[in-house]
Amino acid sequence: MIILLIISNDAIRNRVNIKLEFSGHTIIQTSNSADAITLLRTKKVDLVITEVDIGKIDGWRLSRLIRTGILAASEDIPILLITENYSERIAETTARMFDIDRVIAYQELDIIQDVVNQMFSGTGTLNKKQKILVIEDTEDTANLVHRMLKHKFSVDIAVDGIDGIKAFRKNSYDIVLLDIMMPGMSGDEVLDVLIELNPKQVVIAMTAHGTIDLAELMLVKGASDYIQKPFKAEQLRKVCDIAAKREDFLISNAQFIAKALALKDEQRRYNSLSKDHYRVLDSLNSVVIELSTKGRIMFVNNAWFKLSGFTVSETIGKSFTDFIHGNNSNLHQYVEEACAHLLSGTSSHESLEVQLLKKNGLYFCSEVSFSPYYKDDELIGISGTIDDITVRKNAEERLKHIALHDMLTGINNRHFFDDKLRNISTDTKRSSRLHSLLYIDLDHFKVINDSQGHHQGDLVLKEIARLLSERVRQSDVLCRIGGDEFAFLLMDTNVDDAKNVALELCKTIADSSFKFADKVYKVSCSIGISAIDGKSASSDTYLQQADIAMFAAKQKGRNRAHIFSDEDRVTGELKQSFEWVQKLQNALFDDNIILHFQPIIDVNTNKIECYEALVRLIVDGKIIFPNDFIPSLEKAEDMNLLDRHVIGKALKMMKDNAILKRVAINLSAQAFTDDRLFTFIEEKLVQYNIDPSMVIFELTETASLSNITGTQRMVTRLNELGCHFSIDDFGTGFSTFAYLKQIPAGSVKIDGSFVKDMLKDPIDEVLVKAINDTAHALGKTTVAEFVEDEDTLIKLKELGVDYAQGYYIAKPKDIDEIHGHKVSPLLVVNKK
């Protein structure tokens, strides 16, 4: 191997040459960059060893010149940089920027042969991709992150918190990208484990449902940064680059501190204090202190007077503990024990946080760092520094307050509530005390938010919080746990007394009013009550019971309170709804939701026009049909999760299966209140490269009637995007035909209850004809459902209906059956 040695100092260059001359390699020496470049123009070498100061073109720029590939030497040639003094991390970070493979100091020249051997073997170089662990339960998001970062980082994927922790225990990662909202272990729980395993780990929190409280909570818990989904590639890369640079800074700072402390120890060991030293010490903001083996102060610099107001003469000879604020004997003992550990040799460093007295009677928060002090190898006392951390402690207290309080109302937040409820729940298991939980949800608050804006809505929430706070006993706990949701923990209160309190709260809120401009708004509240009696294994159960009872109060007419009971029919039905929500979440997590597809044919040609995607749930190995679980999800107002999953899955299956040329996807009424659903649809269309005109979204007439304004807005945006829209089950919503003019839908599905009996019931036939004729007059196509025999299909053709679907044409089938199914003589696949 040929090694080019570029070092300006003759002595150093000769020393390196001697170290390498027995390695069997050919050494070419030069003292400046100009000669080196001349040589590299014509000659290939296998390794370049250079220092920084080598002429007009320094070592950094020479490296960049080599990497351009314009010289005879390979652009990938290993480069070793030798420096006189350096902070390891800063030098290594800079070297990576200039594509230098390794950096060593002159003090490390004795190991240069080993370093060269490592470089030739491809190990021990700096230019390795940093490793990132992505803990993300959504496969599409995880894959997207991998694509965004794979060119610059080595990316590992973990599908949930448990797998992420396993990977973290097994491997070392420079950065962890952590999704906050995950099933099973939540992101903040995973973060606690990661920080416990490695307190210095760089963690970036990710979420699609971020709030300032959640962001601050994650940062307080140890996250380095925070990014909200959806994000663009440049945003993610920038956050990761900042995180990597933050790690570089922290390590560099630690190395600087270590070097500074080493230098200070060396100076204290070999030099006595002089006037020059006093001037340096007195210019410091940190207090430098020396204690005798008896704990008495032997020396302080001028910073002590600036911080405490005590002069040197008032301080020297006194015990350090004399200046500790307060009469806490435990704290005095703690400081004395720390000094004893240092003097006995059981500890080499002690760091303490104590409040120290000021001469004016006040105090300041300080961080005291003590180490044993030696002179000529003899322990003569303790030396250390004292720093004023009052500003930091005040900031920490503010952050702690922010972490436990709601920023808008100032009352306790959800994080505080969860901790308090867990503690109370544990207490009731050990004692006979009985407490109650009130779950308060404002009725019709959305009306104020939508009509007056969120600013006015925030004013209402602050006033409601004030009204509730006025009725809090000293022993009770009031928290804001959601947008317009509050919780009361009533200590030593049974549910009957709690209901009386709840009814008073209902009356207080109902009697209040809020005036904006010339309009007066009134709100009420529905309150659910559960008994905290120590019988439940988890504190979450009490919250769930109160939540269910609150929904029961709303169902009974709102502005009232309801006590949870297992025997109560209303709460029982709601509990079943929430259980279905849990089953749905588990099915989503385990990917146990499947889609079946039923063809819709052109009545005149019998060709398949499109397929309707129909969702099925797999529970305990059994297929559950929509009628068995969707009503429960709608009652629990938790359909958004299913909507998004079905849309994403259907579009992906369109990408993977060419036979699904055009697909109709059903949406719930809640989809039209989801402000971010349109963005989600737009992203998925781009992600899977689907032509929007090949997608039809369906909403039942009844559902769309419940929110005509929202439906109009969403349908208009979907149409502008290029998607089509269809009104499903038309005729069942008790609406007039004028309703068809209000919704910009391209097609109307005639409800199957009219279609299946039209041959027997003349009224049904008249209704089918009327709906079809009206839709055509408005420029809309029609689809008939529940076509179960040939005669019905023939009649629909006579009436002029455009499309049809039903068991006579084909039953819904999974995608494998569609691919393998022999096409019925009735059906012809539309090739357009």
Side-chain angles (χ1 to χ4, degrees):
M1 297 289 186
I2 300 176
I3 299 176
L4 175 59
L5 194 59
I6 316 168
I7 298 178
S8 59
N9 185 287
D10 294 339
I12 298 296
R13 189 169 65 254
N14 291 333
R15 183 181 171 191
V16 173
N17 184 56
I18 292 171
K19 291 289 183 182
L20 297 177
E21 66 180 351
F22 299 109
S23 63
H25 304 304
T26 301
I27 311 297
I28 301 176
Q29 300 183 45
T30 183
S31 62
N32 59 75
S33 55
D35 292 343
I37 292 171
T38 300
L39 189 146
L40 289 171
R41 289 178 186 273
T42 58
K43 189 173 184 63
K44 292 185 177 180
V45 298
D46 302 296
L47 173 67
V48 172
I49 301 176
T50 182
E51 57 183 359
V52 176
D53 189 8
I54 54 174
K56 291 184 178 180
I57 297 179
D58 59 26
W60 301 116
R61 291 186 289 167
L62 176 63
S63 174
R64 295 304 305 143
L65 184 63
I66 293 173
R67 296 303 184 219
T68 61
I70 63 175
L71 301 174
S74 170
E75 65 186 58
D76 298 323
I77 181 175
I79 301 175
L80 171 62
L81 181 71
I82 304 175
T83 64
E84 183 174 1
N85 293 298
Y86 79 113
S87 175
E88 293 90 337
R89 191 67 172 208
I90 292 178
E92 290 171 359
T93 302
T94 309
R96 282 198 297 269
M97 295 171 58
F98 284 85
D99 288 328
I100 290 173
D101 300 274
R102 187 74 179 266
V103 180
I104 64 172
Y106 289 136
Q107 296 90 331
E108 298 173 297
L109 288 180
D110 288 338
I111 64 169
I112 192 168
Q113 185 169 334
D114 294 333
V115 172
V116 168
N117 291 338
Q118 290 174 3
M119 295 180 69
F120 279 136
S121 65
T123 61
T125 62
L126 300 174
N127 293 320
K128 295 187 296 185
K129 288 184 178 179
Q130 290 183 292
K131 294 186 66 176
I132 288 184
L133 174 61
V134 180
I135 306 177
E136 169 61 61
D137 62 304
T138 303
E139 181 181 359
D140 292 337
T141 303
N143 292 336
L144 182 62
V145 172
H146 184 269
R147 289 197 302 275
M148 289 177 175
L149 300 179
K150 65 181 180 180
H151 299 296
K152 190 169 183 180
F153 299 92
S154 175
V155 182
D156 288 344
I157 304 293
V159 298
D160 59 23
I162 299 297
D163 285 345
I165 292 171
K166 288 180 181 177
F168 189 83
R169 290 180 187 274
K170 186 177 179 181
N171 301 300
S172 175
Y173 293 94
D174 298 286
I175 299 172
V176 175
L177 283 172
L178 174 61
D179 185 17
I180 299 176
M181 299 297 184
M182 295 187 294
M185 287 187 73
S186 63
D188 63 320
E189 292 172 332
V190 176
L191 178 61
D192 288 341
V193 177
L194 299 185
I195 295 302
E196 182 178 353
L197 292 174
N198 181 8
K200 296 183 179 180
Q201 179 60 49
V202 176
V203 180
I204 301 172
M206 307 184 295
T207 186
H209 306 284
T211 66
I212 187 169
D213 284 347
L214 186 56
E216 289 171 350
L217 172 62
M218 294 300 286
L219 294 177
V220 168
K221 284 196 167 203
S224 305
D225 208 337
Y226 183 89
I227 187 169
Q228 187 159 338
K229 299 185 289 188
F231 41 71
K232 296 181 180 179
E234 58 268 21
Q235 292 174 315
L236 182 60
R237 294 187 189 115
K238 181 177 180 181
V239 169
C240 290
D241 285 339
I242 291 172
K245 289 180 173 61
R246 174 184 180 274
E247 181 71 0
D248 288 335
F249 169 79
L250 291 176
I251 294 175
S252 300
N253 192 51
Q255 290 170 347
F256 270 121
I257 291 172
K259 288 177 181 293
L261 289 175
L263 180 60
K264 186 182 292 184
D265 289 340
E266 185 177 349
Q267 288 176 335
R268 277 200 294 262
R269 180 178 179 182
Y270 294 108
N271 300 298
S272 60
L273 290 172
S274 64
K275 292 181 181 180
D276 288 340
H277 293 139
Y278 275 111
R279 282 198 297 270
V280 172
L281 289 171
D282 287 341
S283 69
L284 295 176
N285 292 322
S286 296
V287 175
V288 178
I289 188 169
E290 181 185 335
L291 307 181
S292 71
T293 55
K294 300 297 184 181
R296 297 194 175 278
I297 300 174
M298 306 303 294
F299 169 81
V300 285
N301 64 343
N302 195 49
W304 171 255
F305 173 73
K306 294 177 183 177
L307 284 181
S308 70
F310 290 105
T311 63
V312 173
S313 61
E314 292 171 327
T315 304
I316 297 298
K318 290 187 177 181
S319 174
F320 176 73
T321 55
D322 291 344
F323 294 93
I324 295 178
H325 173 68
N327 297 315
N328 188 332
S329 59
N330 291 332
L331 181 58
H332 282 246
Q333 183 179 352
Y334 175 57
V335 174
E336 290 171 354
E337 288 178 351
C339 293
H341 291 158
L342 293 169
L343 295 172
S344 66
T346 57
S347 173
S348 61
H349 180 264
E350 293 286 342
S351 183
L352 315 168
E353 289 188 4
V354 294
Q355 293 175 346
L356 296 178
L357 285 170
K358 289 187 173 185
K359 191 173 182 179
N360 60 10
L362 301 177
Y363 66 88
F364 64 97
C365 298
S366 70
E367 183 176 57
V368 181
S369 180
F370 279 157
S371 298
Y373 177 40
Y374 294 88
K375 185 173 184 180
D376 297 327
D377 295 330
E378 179 184 355
L379 178 65
I380 63 171
I382 296 170
S383 64
T385 58
I386 301 173
D387 290 292
D388 184 358
I389 59 170
T390 304
V391 173
R392 191 187 84 192
K393 296 300 289 185
N394 290 340
E396 288 176 356
E397 288 300 317
R398 286 196 296 272
L399 284 175
K400 187 182 297 183
H401 179 85
I402 290 170
L404 297 177
H405 290 78
D406 177 50
M407 292 290 290
L408 176 65
T409 62
I411 63 176
N412 300 311
N413 63 11
R414 177 62 181 266
H415 179 65
F416 179 90
F417 169 78
D418 288 339
D419 283 344
K420 192 70 174 179
L421 181 59
R422 274 194 296 269
N423 293 335
I424 294 173
S425 175
T426 302
D427 175 69
T428 56
K429 294 176 183 178
R430 297 192 299 257
S431 67
S432 59
R433 297 176 69 186
L434 184 66
H435 316 291
S436 293
L437 168 60
L438 307 188
Y439 194 118
I440 306 169
D441 186 87
L442 300 183
D443 301 324
H444 308 302
F445 175 73
K446 190 174 184 297
V447 173
I448 297 178
N449 252 355
D450 291 347
S451 61
Q452 296 297 321
H454 289 280
H455 175 68
Q456 305 295 352
D458 288 347
L459 295 178
V460 172
L461 290 173
K462 291 172 71 172
E463 177 62 15
I464 295 294
R466 186 191 66 78
L467 292 173
L468 295 175
S469 298
E470 290 177 350
R471 283 146 184 84
V472 177
R473 299 177 302 179
Q474 188 172 0
S475 60
D476 298 335
V477 178
L478 171 65
C479 306
R480 182 185 177 208
I481 59 176
D484 59 348
E485 298 169 336
F486 299 84
F488 246 124
L489 289 169
L490 302 180
M491 308 302 294
D492 300 307
T493 306
N494 61 45
V495 290
D496 293 327
D497 291 339
K499 186 171 183 180
N500 293 331
V501 174
L503 293 175
E504 291 178 6
L505 295 176
C506 286
K507 183 177 185 305
T508 297
I509 293 176
D511 289 345
S512 61
S513 60
F514 306 92
K515 185 174 182 180
F516 303 112
D518 58 343
K519 293 185 178 180
V520 176
Y521 292 87
K522 297 184 73 66
V523 295
S524 59
C525 69
S526 299
I527 303 178
I529 306 168
S530 65
I532 305 175
D533 52 14
K535 295 179 181 179
S536 296
S538 169
S539 60
D540 293 337
T541 303
Y542 299 122
L543 181 60
Q544 184 187 53
Q545 291 173 349
D547 192 15
I548 292 171
M550 181 273 293
F551 274 100
K554 285 186 179 291
Q555 285 196 352
K556 287 187 172 184
R558 304 177 189 270
N559 192 28
R560 64 194 63 218
H562 187 86
I563 300 173
F564 177 86
S565 170
D566 287 321
E567 290 74 30
D568 181 35
R569 180 187 61 80
V570 176
T571 55
E573 290 177 353
L574 285 167
K575 185 177 180 182
Q576 185 182 38
S577 297
F578 286 114
E579 287 173 352
W580 270 115
V581 172
Q582 184 63 42
K583 289 179 181 179
L584 171 65
Q585 291 174 342
N586 291 337
L588 289 173
F589 180 74
D590 297 331
D591 198 24
N592 281 337
I593 288 182
I594 61 173
L595 296 181
H596 285 183
F597 297 90
Q598 185 176 33
I600 299 173
I601 67 166
D602 186 314
V603 170
N604 293 308
T605 64
N606 289 342
K607 292 180 179 179
I608 296 176
E609 177 65 20
C610 72
Y611 288 91
E612 180 178 4
L614 303 168
V615 65
R616 308 287 188 255
L617 204 61
I618 306 297
V619 178
D620 298 329
K622 299 178 182 178
I623 294 181
I624 309 298
F625 291 89
N627 288 342
D628 294 323
F629 64 87
I630 283 185
S632 295
L633 296 180
E634 290 177 334
K635 186 175 292 185
E637 299 183 356
D638 207 0
M639 280 293 294
N640 289 347
L641 194 61
L642 182 63
D643 283 327
R644 287 170 175 257
H645 191 84
V646 169
I647 292 169
K649 198 171 190 97
L651 295 179
K652 185 177 188 304
M653 292 183 72
M654 289 179 69
K655 174 181 179 293
D656 296 338
N657 300 274
I659 195 170
L660 300 177
K661 186 72 174 176
R662 176 175 290 174
V663 171
I665 304 171
N666 290 283
L667 296 177
S668 71
Q670 293 176 31
F672 291 81
T673 62
D674 184 351
D675 295 336
R676 290 174 291 199
L677 181 65
F678 177 80
T679 302
F680 176 81
I681 293 172
E682 193 173 30
E683 289 175 352
K684 290 299 177 183
L685 289 169
V686 173
Q687 180 181 346
Y688 296 122
N689 195 27
I690 302 297
D691 181 354
S693 67
M694 294 293 104
V695 180
I696 304 168
F697 289 104
E698 296 185 1
L699 180 70
T700 63
E701 174 196 2
T702 306
S704 54
L705 277 172
S706 67
N707 184 10
I708 290 181
T709 302
T711 302
Q712 290 174 326
R713 184 170 58 250
M714 176 64 83
V715 173
T716 299
R717 295 185 72 187
L718 289 173
N719 285 340
E720 290 173 351
L721 186 60
C723 299
H724 299 285
F725 187 82
S726 178
I727 302 172
D728 199 6
D729 298 337
F730 187 81
T732 60
F734 305 104
S735 60
T736 66
F737 285 117
Y739 162 74
L740 291 175
K741 294 172 59 180
Q742 296 177 292
I743 303 297
S747 63
V748 176
K749 270 196 171 182
I750 304 169
D751 187 68
S753 63
F754 302 141
V755 175
K756 67 179 181 179
D757 294 328
M758 62 183 290
L759 297 180
K760 302 174 185 176
D761 189 336
I763 295 178
D764 283 344
E765 181 182 341
V766 170
L767 287 172
V768 171
K769 185 176 188 305
I771 294 171
N772 182 69
D773 291 347
T774 304
H776 283 172
L778 295 173
K780 306 178 190 296
T781 59
T782 53
V783 182
E785 301 178 299
F786 287 22
V787 179
E788 299 178 350
D789 54 55
E790 183 179 9
D791 292 339
T792 301
L793 184 61
I794 293 172
K795 174 54 91 175
L796 290 170
K797 185 174 181 180
E798 292 174 0
L799 293 175
V801 173
D802 301 301
Y803 304 103
Q805 72 181 113
Y807 277 16
Y808 171 67
I809 299 166
K811 293 182 178 181
K813 300 178 183 297
D814 64 33
I815 192 64
D816 292 334
E817 290 180 292
I818 290 176
H819 280 299
H821 180 62
K822 184 177 180 181
V823 179
S824 164
L826 176 68
L827 302 180
V828 179
V829 177
N830 192 343
K831 299 297 184 180
K832 63 178 183 176

